């Protein structure tokens, strides 16, 4: 399905979008100078490995979930005091996504060529934060995972009680009440806004002020519940009919389309992957709230809307978007010099049928909420380049398959033609949080200094299996005490 790329250059796909000569102006080295992207297909480059969720090494999902809980619980001040300036909390990341969508200039995240680099950079920023947290706590995690999100077979064991919770939610109002992220709380706009937005966002860029209940949800999505909500996808849907398969064939079709400078470039590929797959996963698993008589939609679930990254599954899902996006770019590596047709001027939004500033190649990604080089690990805090803002063009090139600091490992249970690399297991003595704590308890009486080093692991162990524990450090201490007593 995926590897059938042998298509003539003029055999591109018709996406039924006709652009004028003045829309999506590409570089041509005559009227607009190209800034070529240089690819580095170095097989010896030691890249972080992004595994599919089911293939994560032991303990890595626990570490990933621990980091997300830290992001949810800590304020920006608390988190940066604990982990440094790379830390961003959950509220910041949700606000980042909403402000990109509700920008007064025009949508900064979807409905154009910018959809691909925006989400590649956004998930890379998540990865920087997550790894900052896990490394500080001595927890094993190489990279954030991706999710092979196709049909019932591949979805149900991820979207269920062992990982991300049952969707639709099992609560009385469709709250997600099981899984590692059970009863996941929604951040308040009024509490989080003064911490970070006032110092970053141009007040003229967006009129967003939260929803009617003060939550960081899209302004028209007035869900009262303070927890992550996932509705059925239709008025008559039950829990078994929720799983309308999102066909891999549709996505494979987008990738197999040949490059054509005018009629199938990154803009058209972004349209194809977003409209044929991405939007349906969001809507099917986020769901809609219908009137009692089954007529009309009142509002959408949290994964299905501007606040989609409220749902923790947003990260592995959009890593998959990045995987397929960079795979298509790699199949057309000879177009790197022109940035795969990414528009330099008059970038076009096909949803609003308009062009506007903020989504051109040289523009900063989500400039109201800029991403900085240190947010992506391209520089360290204190470096001269640490606060450089990231442009779409930089994200397109630096996060291309051949240049990215991470790679995708082929899903062991996926089809033979799935993208990703087949790799040998790393030689590592790292163990997961459960094993390290348990072995320490069985083998020795920990000394006080060793207790301190073990607390983060014990905390992660408890937090991964009891997401509602509030006094985590006290509980971790009690857990270590029980180990010392031989329990």
């Amino acid at each position: 399905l995926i590897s059938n790329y042998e298509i003539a250059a003029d055999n591109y796909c018709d996406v039924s979008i006709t652009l004028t000569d003045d829309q999506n102006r590409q570089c041509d080295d005559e009227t607009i100078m190209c800034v070529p992207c240089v690819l580095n297909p170095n097989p010896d480059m030691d890249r972080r490995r992004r595994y599919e969720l089911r293939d994560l090494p032991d303990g890595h999902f626990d570490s990933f979930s621990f980091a997300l809980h830290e992001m949810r619980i800590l304020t920006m001040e608390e988190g940066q005091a604990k982990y440094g300036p790379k830390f961003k909390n959950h509220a910041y990341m949700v606000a980042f996504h909403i402000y990109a969508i509700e920008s007064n200039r025009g949508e900064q995240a979807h409905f154009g060529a910018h959809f691909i680099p925006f989400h590649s950079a956004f998930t890379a920023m998540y990865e920087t934060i997550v790894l900052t947290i896990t490394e500080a706590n001595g927890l094993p995690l190489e990279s954030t995972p991706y999710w092979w999100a196709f049909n019932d077979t591949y979805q149900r064991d991820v979207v269920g009680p062992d990982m991300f919770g049952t969707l639709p939610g099992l609560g009385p109002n469709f709250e997600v009440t099981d899984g590692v992220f059970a009863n996941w709380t929604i951040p308040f706009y009024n509490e989080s806004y003064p911490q970070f937005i006032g110092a970053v966002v141009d007040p003229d860029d967006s009129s967003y002020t939260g929803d009617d209940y003060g939550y960081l949800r899209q302004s028209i999505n007035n869900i009262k519940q303070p927890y992550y909500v996932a509705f059925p996808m239709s008025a008559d849907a039950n829990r078994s009919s929720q799983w309308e398969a999102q066909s891999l064939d549709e996505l494979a079709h987008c990738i197999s389309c040949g490059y054509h400078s005018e009629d199938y470039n990154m803009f058209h590929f972004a349209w194809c992957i977003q409209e044929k797959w991405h939007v349906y996963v969001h809507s099917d698993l986020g769901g809609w709230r219908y009137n009692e008589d089954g007529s009309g939609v009142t509002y959408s679930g949290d994964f299905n809307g501007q606040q989609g990254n409220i749902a923790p599954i947003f990260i592995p899902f959009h890593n998959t978007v990045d995987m397929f996006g960079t795979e298509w770019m790699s199949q057309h590596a000879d177009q790197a010099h022109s940035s795969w047709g990414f528009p330099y001027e008059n970038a076009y939004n096909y949803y609003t049928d308009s062009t506007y500033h903020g989504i051109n190649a040289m523009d900063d990604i989500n400039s109201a909420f800029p991403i900085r080089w240190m947010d992506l690990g391209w520089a360290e805090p204190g470096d001269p380049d640490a606060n450089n803002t990231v442009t779409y063009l930089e994200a397109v090139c630096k996060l291309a398959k051949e240049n990215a600091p991470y790679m995708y490992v082929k899903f062991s249970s996926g089809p033979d033609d799935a993208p990703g690399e087949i790799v040998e297991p790393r030689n590592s003595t790292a163990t997961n949080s459960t094993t390290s704590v348990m072995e320490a308890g069985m083998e020795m009486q920990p000394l006080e200094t060793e207790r301190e080093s073990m607390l983060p692991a014990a905390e992660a162990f408890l937090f991964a299996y009891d997401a509602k524990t509030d006094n985590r450090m006290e509980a971790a201490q009690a857990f270590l005490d029980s180990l010392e007593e031989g329990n």
Side-chain angles (χ1 to χ4, degrees), residues 29-214:
D29 280 334
E30 295 178 0
T31 58
I32 302 176
M33 292 299 296
C34 293
V35 180
C37 175
V38 178
L39 299 180
N40 177 36
N42 181 0
D44 297 324
M45 181 176 174
D46 187 21
R47 306 177 196 268
R48 299 191 299 269
R49 296 178 178 184
R50 286 185 173 179
Y51 293 94
E52 207 283 335
L53 281 161
R54 271 73 46 110
D55 287 342
L56 280 169
D58 288 346
H60 284 217
F61 183 72
D62 295 350
S63 302
F64 174 64
S65 61
F66 170 76
L68 296 192
H69 279 290
E70 285 282 87
M71 291 176 66
R72 180 181 62 87
I73 290 170
L74 298 174
T75 66
M76 284 286 285
E77 291 86 353
E78 292 169 342
Q80 293 198 349
K82 186 175 182 179
Y83 295 113
K86 291 182 182 179
F87 176 87
K88 306 289 188 295
N89 70 355
H90 180 55
Y92 182 98
M93 300 301 277
V94 174
F96 180 97
H97 196 256
I98 291 177
Y99 269 82
I101 293 170
E102 297 216 2
S103 169
N104 290 331
R105 290 171 294 164
E107 233 270 18
Q108 306 286 304
H110 307 86
F111 311 124
H114 57 289
F115 168 71
I116 301 297
F118 176 94
H119 287 89
S120 294
F122 192 36
T123 53
M125 181 161 63
Y126 263 114
E127 184 160 296
T128 298
I129 301 165
V130 166
L131 294 180
T132 296
I133 294 170
T134 55
E135 289 170 6
N137 286 282
L139 301 177
L141 184 66
E142 186 166 350
S143 196
T144 52
Y146 71 97
W147 176 35
W148 190 258
F150 302 99
N151 70 43
D152 189 8
T153 302
Y154 295 123
Q155 288 178 344
R156 193 176 289 273
D157 53 349
V158 167
V159 185
D162 293 332
M163 284 192 176
F164 290 92
T166 303
L167 307 181
L170 300 176
N173 296 295
F174 297 101
E175 301 92 344
V176 178
T177 57
D178 63 347
V180 173
F181 304 99
N183 302 308
W184 187 255
T185 52
I186 307 301
F188 280 102
Y189 169 85
N190 289 334
E191 289 184 1
S192 55
Y193 181 85
Q195 294 177 14
F196 48 86
I197 301 176
V200 177
V201 170
D202 177 355
D204 295 329
D205 186 71
S206 177
S207 54
Y208 174 75
T209 57
D211 70 5
D212 286 350
Y213 297 99

Side-chain angles (χ1 to χ4, degrees), residues 246 250 253-254 271-280:
Q246 294 307 323
E250 292 286 353
H253 170 78
C254 298
W271 175 91
C272 193
I273 192 174
Q274 182 170 354
E275 299 302 320
K276 290 181 176 292
W277 175 66
H278 165 267
V279 68
Y280 293 108

Side-chain angles (χ1 to χ4, degrees), residues 262-474:
E262 297 298 328
D263 297 292
Y264 201 84
N265 52 47
M266 187 178 291
F267 169 81
H268 304 88
F269 172 77
W271 175 91
C272 193
I273 192 174
Q274 182 170 354
E275 299 302 320
K276 290 181 176 292
W277 175 66
H278 165 267
V279 68
Y280 293 108
V281 177
H282 270 293
S283 60
D284 285 3
L285 297 185
W288 306 92
R289 184 65 166 172
Y290 288 78
N291 295 322
E292 293 295 328
D293 61 1
S295 64
V297 175
T298 52
Y299 33 75
S300 61
D302 284 318
F303 188 52
N304 180 24
Q306 296 168 355
Q307 74 290 336
N309 61 316
I310 281 176
I313 203 167
F314 179 98
I315 304 166
F317 172 52
H318 285 84
N319 278 348
T320 308
V321 173
D322 173 74
M323 176 175 69
F324 281 103
T326 54
E327 184 68 27
W328 178 80
M329 291 162 58
S330 183
Q331 296 304 320
H332 303 289
D334 59 330
Q335 300 301 320
H337 70 284
S338 65
S339 305
W340 295 271
F342 197 95
Y344 275 62
E345 293 180 358
N346 295 346
Y348 178 69
N349 179 315
Y350 61 80
Y351 184 76
T352 59
D353 188 25
S354 60
T355 62
Y356 48 87
H357 171 69
I359 55 173
N360 297 297
M362 305 300 284
D363 293 338
D364 289 337
I365 294 177
N366 198 16
S367 57
F369 249 75
I371 304 175
R372 306 187 190 280
W373 278 28
M374 69 176 177
D375 295 330
L376 303 186
W378 297 352
E380 291 300 315
D383 289 351
D385 297 332
N387 289 315
N388 287 0
T389 51
V390 178
T391 66
Y392 289 99
L393 191 64
E394 287 174 328
V396 165
C397 185
K398 287 177 176 288
L399 298 177
K401 179 179 178 179
E402 292 80 1
N403 293 347
Y406 50 80
M407 58 176 286
Y408 289 95
V409 178
K410 187 180 180 71
F411 180 29
S412 63
S413 298
D416 292 341
D417 291 331
E421 307 296 327
I422 298 174
V423 298
E424 294 294 328
R426 291 196 189 277
N427 294 323
S428 174
T429 57
T431 57
N432 63 43
S433 57
T434 306
T435 303
S436 60
V437 173
M438 294 302 293
E439 286 181 350
M442 290 185 291
E443 292 177 0
M444 61 183 297
Q445 298 285 324
L447 301 174
E448 287 305 311
T449 54
E450 290 166 339
R451 288 171 78 91
E452 292 180 8
S453 66
M454 289 168 60
L455 272 170
E459 183 182 4
F461 169 79
L462 281 157
F463 212 50
Y465 291 98
D466 184 4
K468 291 180 286 187
T469 300
D470 291 324
N471 56 337
R472 294 171 294 135
M473 292 305 291
E474 291 82 357

